[in-house]
Amino acid sequence: MNSDFPSREFDDAVAAVCHGVATNEQVRALSELLRQSARARDEYILRVELHSRLASEPDLFVSAAPETLFVPSEREHMSALTAFSSAVSSKRESLLRKPIWVMVAAACLTLLAAAGWWTLRFSRSASSSVTTSKAVAMLSQTVAAQWNFPQERPRLGAPLDPGWLKLDGGLAQVVFYSGARVVIEGPAEIQLISPNHASFRLGKIVAEVPPEARGFRLDTPQGAITDLGTSFGVRVEERGTELHVFKGTVTLRTPNLANEQVLREGAAAAIDVSGAIRPIAANRTAYASLFDLREKSLAVDALRLERWRISGDVLNRDPSLRVRFDFEHSGPSVWRLRNVAQAVADLDDATIIGCQFTRGRWADKRAMEFQNVNDRVRMNVPGAFGSVTLSAWVRVQGLDRKLNSLFMCDGFSAGTLHWLIRNDGVLGLTIVGTRAGDYQLAISPSVVSLDKFGMWLHLAVVVDGRTRRVAHYVNGRPVAELELRIPPPYRIGPAELGNWDGKGFPEKDPFMIRNFSGAMDDFCLFSRALDAREIQTLYEEGKPDLEAVALRE
């Protein structure tokens, strides 16, 4: 953490302390900064006070009732937040008027907080509501993977809990939290047991074990293989197990062996169903396809990207497509983002403010990264619509705000839409009516959980003015469908990706900060209601990995 004040690192550290998720590094750096800087101490006290007051004012937060996310009318919202801002200002003034001994005491408490007391307190209070993970590994790469999975198949970047993975075909790389990584070739069956332990009962596997994962154990039906920092290959068939040591040393224990047998680099052994061991010639070429995973993965990436571009050319000609940012095409300057929808020549390109391009869903694909409160993409979409569909690929890095903006119209004019993710993973869409206080909030269940962070997700919401339905979709599947109470027309006008212009709200209103933390790829706005099949097609044609992609195509 940077020890400067003011700085983004300071902001992040204070927020982490308030929410009970500060790392040891953040606590140490914040402690040092608070000892050195009186201005930082004062600011820290005020921010902790602000956090406490926000937490104690339920009317300023999202209600648990499905139809009340925030105060709907501009007048009511302004009134409540103005009162809150006045309270905070009064608190700031009262703090500054307190005797010096009070400030010293507060500073001491601050140092205690930075030393860990506050972190401990918030961690305890959060422990009952924060979801912990049982995961022991992650799925990092696949090539033409065909999964035999009773539920939704594993996705790239997904954490993997203990249990069986069954791969009917293709290649998959699993990285254990110990640092060991294995490449599996289907058909194969592997059971994840712990961050440094797995059981393999069918197929072919190559393991790369760095020094920090020394002791990684792989059980087979014929014995237990323990790695001592090396690379080895294993084939398990009905007739027995083959072990090939490509580098380093492994130990092998079979049920009928009293002691371990050591195999060194270049050695190989076959173990039959009785447990008998016989030496064989090491054969690295038999595992060549597993060592070529990276090259094959890049080839599949290129194929997927090309397929997506072809389908995108067709999509761009859809007459209802008002806005599409594929993030591959910049405007005349680096701060302009081209709208590639072809049916609306009258729409201007968007403006990039603060955002940076980053790696998209594939190695040669760009996306837009949103990191802080400045980052946004500004656009203007004129017209009135009877129905609207919003679609985007997003990679959530964190839900730092109570309300995290995906796409929002400026202010609360009649017919405007506000699409967001709450910090509890709920998708929300606010539709504003024509009368003061007339609005509807359509929310989903909690669908963006911690284990989805860092993964590409396809999100879509459909506002169907004809059938009076609104529906949320995640990865092509409907997750919520509700009655639509606000009739058309719907209007966009000035709007933003990844942030929000409150338009007329107090400058220091805390609800002004709704920035998105993550990356966005392939945003679309349609002036009609896409059906479930079309949403599924958008997902299938854009998903980063594709089952059974044939490299020969």
Side-chain angles (χ1 to χ4, degrees), residues 286-327:
Y287 297 83
S289 61
L290 285 75
F291 283 108
D292 293 341
L293 173 71
R294 175 173 172 76
E295 288 71 19
K296 290 186 175 181
S297 179
L298 291 174
V300 170
D301 270 8
L303 177 60
R304 289 291 298 119
L305 178 56
E306 183 59 28
R307 287 184 174 184
W308 170 78
R309 284 172 174 160
I310 292 172
S311 65
D313 289 340
V314 176
L315 179 63
N316 292 343
R317 295 192 291 271
D318 186 323
S320 71
L321 183 64
R322 304 293 296 178
V323 176
R324 184 177 181 226
F325 301 131
D326 59 11
F327 299 104

Side-chain angles (χ1 to χ4, degrees), residues 486-498:
I486 305 296
Y490 308 110
R491 304 176 187 277
I492 306 301
E496 294 184 345
L497 293 180

Side-chain angles (χ1 to χ4, degrees), residues 218-240:
L218 183 69
D219 296 337
T220 75
Q222 284 73 46
I225 301 164
T226 302
D227 179 90
L228 302 179
T230 185
S231 169
F232 63 89
V234 175
R235 181 199 297 268
V236 177
E237 299 174 330
E238 290 185 3
R239 62 186 180 183

Side-chain angles (χ1 to χ4, degrees), residues 8-30:
R8 179 182 174 187
E9 289 78 7
F10 173 85
D11 298 340
D12 292 344
V14 174
V17 168
C18 286
H19 292 284
V21 295
T23 64
N24 291 335
E25 180 185 358
Q26 285 178 311
V27 169
R28 286 194 296 269
L30 183 59

Side-chain angles (χ1 to χ4, degrees), residues 387-392 406-407 417-420 427-431 441-444 458-464 469-482 484 523-531 535 538:
S387 298
V388 173
T389 298
L390 301 171
S391 162
L406 293 172
F407 171 84
L417 307 174
H418 301 79
W419 190 27
L420 55 85
L427 300 176
L429 181 76
T430 302
I431 309 108
L441 173 69
I443 65 172
S444 76
H458 183 254
L459 306 181
V461 62
V462 178
V463 182
D464 192 335
R469 306 296 293 175
V470 56
H472 290 280
Y473 293 81
V474 177
N475 291 337
R477 297 181 178 181
V479 295
E481 184 173 344
L482 307 97
L484 177 60
F523 171 82
C524 297
L525 188 158
F526 298 85
S527 60
R528 66 180 176 91
L530 270 64
D531 60 30
I535 297 293
L538 285 178

Side-chain angles (χ1 to χ4, degrees), residues 8-88:
R8 179 182 174 187
E9 289 78 7
F10 173 85
D11 298 340
D12 292 344
V14 174
V17 168
C18 286
H19 292 284
V21 295
T23 64
N24 291 335
E25 180 185 358
Q26 285 178 311
V27 169
R28 286 194 296 269
L30 183 59
S31 175
E32 182 63 27
L33 176 59
L34 294 175
R35 291 191 184 96
Q36 297 174 358
S37 171
R39 289 178 57 216
R41 289 195 296 271
D42 291 344
E43 184 66 22
Y44 178 88
I45 294 169
L46 292 170
R47 293 193 188 190
V48 170
E49 173 69 15
L50 174 63
H51 175 80
S52 300
R53 289 187 67 86
L54 284 171
S56 64
E57 294 286 345
D59 291 340
L60 296 179
F61 282 90
V62 178
S63 168
E67 290 295 328
T68 53
L69 179 62
F70 52 86
V71 180
S73 73
E74 196 164 337
R75 177 179 299 174
E76 291 170 339
H77 200 164
M78 290 268 298
S79 175
L81 293 173
T82 300
F84 175 79
S85 299
S86 298
V88 172

Side-chain angles (χ1 to χ4, degrees), residues 98-107:
K98 287 186 181 296
I100 188 64
W101 68 269
V102 176
M103 297 302 294
V104 172

